[in-house]
Amino acid sequence: MAEKHGNLSINSENIFPIIKKWLYSDHDIFFRELVSNGCDAITKLKKLDMMGEYSLPEDYKGKIQIMVNPEAKTLKFIDNGVGMTADEVEEYINQIAFSGATDFIAKYKDKTNEDQIIGHFGLGFYSAFMVADEVHIDSLSWQEGAAPVHWECDGGTEFDMREGERTEVGTTVTLFLNEDVLEFCNEYKAREVIKKYCSFMPTEIYLSKENTTDTQTIDADEKLDTDTVVEEIKPEKEEDKLRYKIVKRPELLNETTPLWMKHPNECTREEYLEFYRKVFMDYKEPLFWIHLNMDYPFNLKGILYFPKINMEYESIEGVIKLYNNQVFIADNIKEVIPEFLMLLKGVIDCPDLPLNVSRSALQNDGFVKKISDYITKKVADKLSGMCKTEKEEYEKYWDDISPFIKYGCLRDDKFCEKMTDYILFKNLDGKYLTLPECLEVKKTDPDEAEDTAGDADAKESKENDAAQGHEAKEDAQTEGGQKIENAGSVEDEAEDAAGAEVVDADGNVISAGAGDDAEEEEEDEEEKKEKVIYYVTDEKQQGQYISMFKAAKMDAVILTHNIDQPFISQLEAKNEGIKFQRIDADLTDTFRAKTNKKTAKELEAAAEAIGKVMKKVLKKDKITIKVEKLKNKKISSMITLSEESRRMQDMMKMYSMPGMDMGGFGKEGETLILNANHPLVQYVMDNAEGNNVNMICEQLYDLALLQHAPLEPEAMSKFVARTNDIMMLLTK
């Protein structure tokens, strides 16, 4: 075959049906496109007047009228803008995708003002053919001596154009709707669609019913020259006003200067609330809002509202409406709105958005990403600024907005970086602390933290104790001359207090100077240790542990939301040296009574003995049992579950498939702690084969478990029955 070079042939007969059927995903969008064209026509005429090329009448008021006619099955879009000549109809209508807006901008780019031209692509007009069997245009150009034009097309590729009869500058587009979409010439449906797309367009939009017989009553002083009076209503009493019954006026459907177009300093609290109620039909008051107002490096305005978020009982998806030059584009466009902001409600208007031809989707990902990053930054700046300057207000909102902020930190690294130091944690006393403040809280044992500085009596007492300690130390020698370990912990404290020699963990003597070095090393090691932040997930269920913490002057934070578990895992990953631990995950030395090594070995042996009894009675081989001397003698038993085991258990529950047996999971890491200072535990230790030991063992375990988690139904039934048996024993 011979080599050939040529041009691709595009047949309008093939492409026009594609434009009509597939250009837009939503058929009702033709309202937006035709109204936008009318707005542009009016904007152009005003610019021509401003540049001195045309003189507007003194009483000129740009407006778009939409007239429905159910009987004739028509829709009319009427504007009083620039209009078109026959040549312009030939150029902008007959040549598909030639944009009059683009041509106008290019011609007058050095003379235009801040008013924006909406259209750019020239295809909006053809959206009419998605719903109309036939479309007519009647137009009269602003140009002096121009003749009116009438154009019509029946949906094919052929058209008819002749001189028209319009007498006023502007354009009327008439749609003869096909049978499938007659709902659009219903006044109520038309109002709904116009409100959806055109509520904030910059030109007044009026809706009316053609040839209507509907009337309304007005006071005489409200009568306009354009009103058609049907009846004069005379006053029945002297104090009554004269009234008129008139043909129903066209209804104004839009607000030409929406709140987001105003400067934040010009807006009142009530205006923000009214706008919120009007746009989102939500009568629950938002917590607060952020007004975006940016001109450089791109034009972006908007308002983001923070509603109260209830993550457990309501849908948490918000609505953020995206506009382009006050023209509605879509809800929740994820390319522009960061995903975590979808929890909010608001509007964003960005004329610089790179839209595709249908104005329903975006292109140029790099630019859109910059807009998205800016919105994230402004939200983070607002929240962090509020925490710095309005801490009380910030705390008041925190419980409601914390799920949103934590979700944002999980989903967006940049947001997380900005917000980490402004995350609040509520402690056991109801006080709000930031993460740095949580790390500064000293968790000290009150038995060791008593300040005796400046108290002469206390100092003298300490010195006497130190002297007695030396005497005890000299007596504590074996026949072979070797030192035995101190049987009491008071001696060690006395030696430290008096500056005497120090004994290490192995019983070796350390010189005073070496002790100082050791102390410095301990401080260095302390700094390297992970800083633990204790937390509570259920204040009622973990009440006993909370009481223990408060008695020990220790603090913890309240983390009750489902989102808190992944959130604290992220904080640990991003902040080296920080660890979160639930208050029932381990038993710290703070809660243990002081014991010497001999006593510790005795408790270890007792734990082994009682452990065999408990495991046999409870029929639980995996459980770890420890016997400790707790400071609180009223506590008989308690359960701890390692933080790692609990998190793994929570994760498995979250991702488990229906029907998966999770009953045995999580028992690894569970420890039953028995308090050797409690009479019940002492009884079991001393009477392993005694009466009622089995009952006491079971009760000790269930009591510990109840403070840790709810009992399973079968276990609860046994617990209740056993409790009744114990009460019966008291009656004997």
Side-chain angles (χ1 to χ4, degrees), residues 705 710-717:
L705 202 58
L711 292 178
E712 295 292 331
E714 184 180 352
M716 177 57 80
S717 298

Side-chain angles (χ1 to χ4, degrees), residues 370-419:
K370 288 180 181 178
I371 295 175
S372 177
D373 290 345
Y374 167 75
I375 295 171
T376 299
K377 179 180 181 299
K378 291 300 290 183
V379 172
D381 289 347
K382 169 71 175 180
L383 293 169
S384 59
M386 186 183 295
C387 185
K388 293 174 187 174
T389 61
E390 305 173 60
K391 186 76 180 299
E392 288 186 7
E393 286 293 301
Y394 191 66
E395 290 177 359
K396 186 171 71 174
Y397 299 138
W398 178 254
D399 287 346
D400 292 316
I401 66 173
S402 62
F404 156 76
I405 294 177
K406 290 170 183 175
Y407 181 66
C409 289
L410 288 170
R411 302 299 300 179
D412 192 299
D413 287 340
K414 288 186 178 179
F415 183 76
C416 184
E417 288 172 14
K418 288 181 175 292
M419 289 304 302

